[in-house]
Amino acid sequence: MSGLQDIGRGLAALAEELVEAAYTPAEAFDWVLDARRRLGAHELVADEPAPLLTGTLARLCGIADLPPGAVIATPYARSGDLPAALHAQAAPDAGHTYLAADPDPALARLVRRRMLVREVYEFQLDVAEGHELALDDWGYPDIVLCALPYEPAETRDARAVLERIQALTDMLDSRRTAVVLGPADALIRPLTPLSDGDRLRRSFLTDGLLKVAISLPDGAFPYRPGYRTAVWVLSRTPQTEWRGMVLLTDLSARPLTEQTLGALVEDVHIFRQTSWQADPRHSPRHGVILPVKVLDDRPGTAFTPQHRPHESRYTRAVIERPERISQLEVRLSELVEQAYQDIDRHAALRAHAVLRSEDQPVRRITVGRMLDERRLRRLPGHRIKAEHLTSDGGYAVLTSAELLGTAPPGGRRIDPLVFTVEYEHANLTRPGDVIVTTSPDFAACVDEEGLCVVAYPARILRARPDAERPMPPRVLAALLRAAAAEHGRVSGAVRASRRLEDLLIPDLSSDEAGRYDDLLARIGQRSALVRAQVAALDELDRLTAAGLADGTLTLLPPTP
């Protein structure tokens, strides 16, 4: 009976989703097609770009500015995502004519159905079975949008890819546009200088056809994650209006988000509206506008930005870079002076370590016994909800990541008011508390300042100052780390071989513990100075390299 109830609930949910999708036949049809990826219909999606990129390609065509009655062509239409995206971007009453072609008869029928449910009827639609569009009946298109079929890298030939694009541009009349998505190794990557492919690719520049070259990151085709792709925007411009400029945009290191792709569409739109030349009022966000001659004079060169745009010299980060470098140089001088002063005050760092005499064996004690003898107090960590964590302001939250050094301290914080209201029984740390974690590995450190929140599975060991033989916090943390190193978690085990309470540490005398605590304090001071110098040196290295890499910095010879 319960099985029938589960089936009934499932069918009810499916019926509800179908009703929600069935406001129009197109929405219901798309709802079914959206299940392609979920249901494993790989043949219908393997050669389709990511949905977000598909919509961007349609916008790059400039279809929103296309006059009514224009002709739109999509060779290699596959399952019809590109024609559907073009129709979605067009005005409702545009009355465009859609031409498509695909060599697979089943896919050609699917494309025809997708357009028919969008009320694009036979007198405005022609879907051919094959590689050729029905241009004899409809004339040359105003827009051509094409995703070239995927070919394995072993058999892919740059010249063959470029010849396909050349055949597409033969359909372009004056001021008509084509947007082509294809393999990056043929469209934008370096080619053998003066090879047939290189000559053919540069001919798109010299003929004034190529207006925009866009390099995309991996993942443009979700079913082919290693397939690096690029986009070309081509337009046939009359010779009298040709400006000889090309926009090169590099998105290869950026995620394909709505914000990134929206900026790309805006850059291309402005470039088109200014008759394919630079607009002094606008600088491309991720690219640069160059004269065609720059690329044509360098056979085989990549069609990607080789230099940052001139406007990048005037950003705040670039302008302030020399000042920040000077501040780091002053900071390094101060740190070196502090190190010299520390050495002068304390002379050489000496531990005065010798072998222990056999007649003076060390007494050992477990953490559990120290808890029983009330020499230590154990406080649990708290389960902090992710939505309560912020990056600035409030109490610092110490998790296992901060203790193990995989996350910087202070990166997670919580608002004091939220902490008081949501975690009324939680405790803040006190200066000298030892913060310990055993998962995923053992770590122990001393909170010198206090007022921190410890997140589970980390916990607090607080030394009782009123105990008969109090254990200094720095000594306790160091001995715990040494003891845990002997009983670490082996490969494949869920936990360490010994619990925290079972760790056995030396129970040092008050004098010996005091001397060890003084040594640890001096080691900590020296370590803090060294870490500060390393951090300043790393930042100096990063800033100088960034300035030299983008061409905004130079180094003068040292002053005598």
Side-chain angles (χ1 to χ4, degrees), residues 424-443:
E424 56 181 339
H425 299 296
N427 299 293
L428 294 173
T429 61
R430 297 178 184 176
D433 280 352
V434 179
I435 317 300
V436 181
T437 184
T438 58
S439 177
D441 289 307
F442 186 89

Side-chain angles (χ1 to χ4, degrees), residues 279-293:
D279 186 346
R281 299 166 299 177
H282 176 79
S283 177
R285 261 66 62 88
H286 307 300
V288 63
I289 298 175
L290 294 174
V292 165
K293 193 174 185 302

Side-chain angles (χ1 to χ4, degrees), residues 115-135:
M115 302 309 292
L116 287 174
V117 297
R118 286 171 165 76
E119 300 181 357
V120 180
Y121 300 117
E122 287 84 351
F123 56 86
Q124 293 177 310
L125 176 66
D126 195 315
V127 182
E129 296 180 6
H131 296 281
E132 302 294 332
L133 297 165
L135 299 179

Side-chain angles (χ1 to χ4, degrees), residues 361-376:
V362 64
R363 179 175 177 266
R364 298 182 180 275
I365 189 171
T366 63
V367 174
R369 185 172 177 181
M370 294 181 71
L371 292 169
D372 294 338
E373 294 179 356
R374 302 180 63 82
R375 296 173 62 183
L376 294 178

Side-chain angles (χ1 to χ4, degrees), residues 164-177:
R164 281 189 176 185
I165 299 176
Q166 189 177 44
L168 296 176
T169 59
D170 291 340
M171 297 186 291
L172 294 183
D173 202 353
S174 179
R175 298 186 181 88
R176 301 299 188 258
T177 301

Side-chain angles (χ1 to χ4, degrees), residues 165-200:
I165 299 176
Q166 189 177 44
L168 296 176
T169 59
D170 291 340
M171 297 186 291
L172 294 183
D173 202 353
S174 179
R175 298 186 181 88
R176 301 299 188 258
T177 301
V179 175
V180 181
L181 173 65
D185 48 16
L187 271 59
I188 54 106
R189 287 184 177 174
L191 296 176
T192 303
L194 302 178
S195 63
D196 291 341
D198 175 48
R199 288 192 180 94
L200 180 55

